[in-house]
């Protein structure tokens, strides 16, 4: 494949996607983070800013122009129609941004971290899918330990995401990140395999 391999890193909230993304990054794989790129667009892209205000009100932004995350979360994660409207705005823009970013990378293997691979349409922009998995209780406890979400909020988010078993069925690769499943011994052979299909060289 001339343009190299595009790997999606997906999984539910608290599964360990960000940890795996950081590990891949350290091993030399450029990783695009949909969440942070989407958040950047929500303050830096004037079209997105105006659309969000139109859909959900001026309260989306604080007086200094920063995003009122708490307000947006309260409107989005409790209302399926609001999630749909938000996603319809952001997801196509993030997908295009990822493709432009990936086109500009020299590495034969790049990755994209997203919790909503299928729902966002990002699946059309990748070649392989890696699912990171942790048991529900582990994922809830780890998400709560970050200190920003209650159990109910984590469970709400989970209900709006695809179930782990469904994701696993659709994936090319999976990593177990439950308690007692060390990641590195799983990640190294996976990278070797990806290396074989993409000419990727592991960082020493
Ligand atoms: P996601 O990006 O899928 O929501 P994260 O990678 O942010 O999940 O992991 C959720 C939380 O759990 C983070 O605080 C992270 O540091 C922690 N965590 C992830 N994997 C492990 C692990 N194997 N052991 C202990 N803590 C972990």
């Amino acid at each position: 494949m001339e343009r190299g391999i595009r790997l999606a890193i997906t999984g539910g909230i608290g599964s360990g996607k960000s940890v795996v993304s950081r590990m891949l990054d350290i091993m030399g794989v450029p990783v695009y983070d949909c969440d942070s790129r989407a958040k950047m667009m929500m303050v830096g892209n004037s079209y997105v800013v105006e659309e969000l205000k139109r859909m959900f009100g001026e309260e989306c932004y604080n007086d200094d122009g920063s995003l009122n995350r708490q307000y947006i979360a309260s409107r989005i994660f409790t209302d399926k129609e609001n999630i749909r409207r938000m996603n319809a705005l952001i997801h196509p823009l993030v997908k295009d941004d990822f493709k432009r970013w990936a086109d500009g990378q020299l590495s034969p293997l790049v990755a994209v971290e997203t919790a909503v691979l299928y729902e966002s349409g990002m699946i059309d922009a990748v070649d392989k899918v890696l699912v990171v998995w942790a048991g529900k209780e582990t994922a809830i406890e780890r998400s709560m330990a970050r200190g920003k979400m209650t159990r109910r909020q984590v469970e709400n988010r989970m209900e709006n995401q695809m179930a782990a078993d469904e994701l696993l069925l659709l994936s090319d690769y999976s990593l177990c990140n439950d308690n007692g499943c060390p990641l590195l011994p799983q990640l190294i052979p996976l990278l070797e395999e990806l290396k074989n299909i993409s000419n990727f060289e592991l960082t020493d």
Side-chain angles (χ1 to χ4, degrees):
M1 189 174 303
E2 266 179 36
R3 66 160 169 72
I5 299 285
R6 296 176 180 184
L7 174 74
I9 304 162
T10 193
I13 180 171
S15 60
K17 294 180 296 298
S18 305
V19 165
V20 168
S21 295
R22 278 205 297 279
M23 290 168 86
L24 283 174
D25 185 52
I26 289 164
M27 292 160 126
V29 182
V31 182
Y32 179 100
D33 175 10
C34 288
D35 261 10
S36 63
R37 299 288 284 223
K39 279 173 191 155
M40 277 164 58
M41 280 179 192
M42 288 163 82
V43 286
N45 180 316
S46 53
Y47 169 71
V48 173
V49 170
E50 288 315 309
E51 281 298 290
L52 284 178
K53 286 183 185 171
R54 190 181 63 75
M55 289 193 287
F56 305 119
E58 297 282 331
E59 301 98 307
C60 288
Y61 292 89
N62 299 310
D63 291 343
D64 63 0
S66 61
L67 205 60
N68 185 344
R69 293 183 196 286
Q70 227 175 352
Y71 171 78
I72 292 189
S74 73
R75 295 292 311 271
I76 300 300
F77 292 116
T78 52
D79 184 328
K80 283 203 158 53
E81 176 56 15
N82 282 349
I83 295 175
R84 194 199 59 74
R85 294 167 76 202
M86 172 78 124
N87 289 347
L89 170 66
I90 300 288
H91 287 164
L93 296 173
V94 172
K95 183 168 130 185
D96 287 348
D97 186 53
F98 165 69
K99 285 196 212 160
R100 272 194 304 275
W101 173 89
D103 284 344
Q105 299 299 316
L106 297 176
S107 171
L109 172 63
V110 300
V112 50
E113 177 191 340
T114 171
V116 286
L117 177 63
Y118 295 93
E119 303 90 322
S120 67
M122 185 64 87
I123 184 68
D124 302 331
V126 298
D127 306 302
K128 298 285 180 190
V129 177
L130 166 64
V131 171
V132 185
W133 177 88
K136 188 174 177 187
E137 201 50 38
T138 308
I140 291 174
E141 277 166 18
R142 286 180 184 164
S143 301
M144 285 168 61
R146 288 186 287 212
K148 292 186 181 157
M149 292 175 93
T150 64
R151 171 174 286 268
R152 189 65 220 136
Q153 285 170 324
V154 178
E155 284 174 348
N156 258 341
R157 190 78 66 91
M158 283 177 163
E159 280 161 24
N160 286 308
Q161 293 179 336
M162 267 170 78
D165 51 357
E166 205 176 342
L167 280 178
L168 285 167
L169 272 178
L170 296 168
S171 68
D172 298 293
Y173 311 105
S174 65
L175 292 178
C176 172
N177 187 32
D178 207 3
N179 289 327
C181 284
L183 280 173
L184 205 51
Q186 302 173 74
L187 199 52
I188 290 173
L190 171 64
L191 259 184
E192 284 294 338
E193 189 174 332
L194 288 166
K195 178 181 152 184
N196 286 338
I197 57 174
S198 71
N199 300 323
F200 177 74
E201 295 295 335
L202 273 173
T203 304
D204 288 331

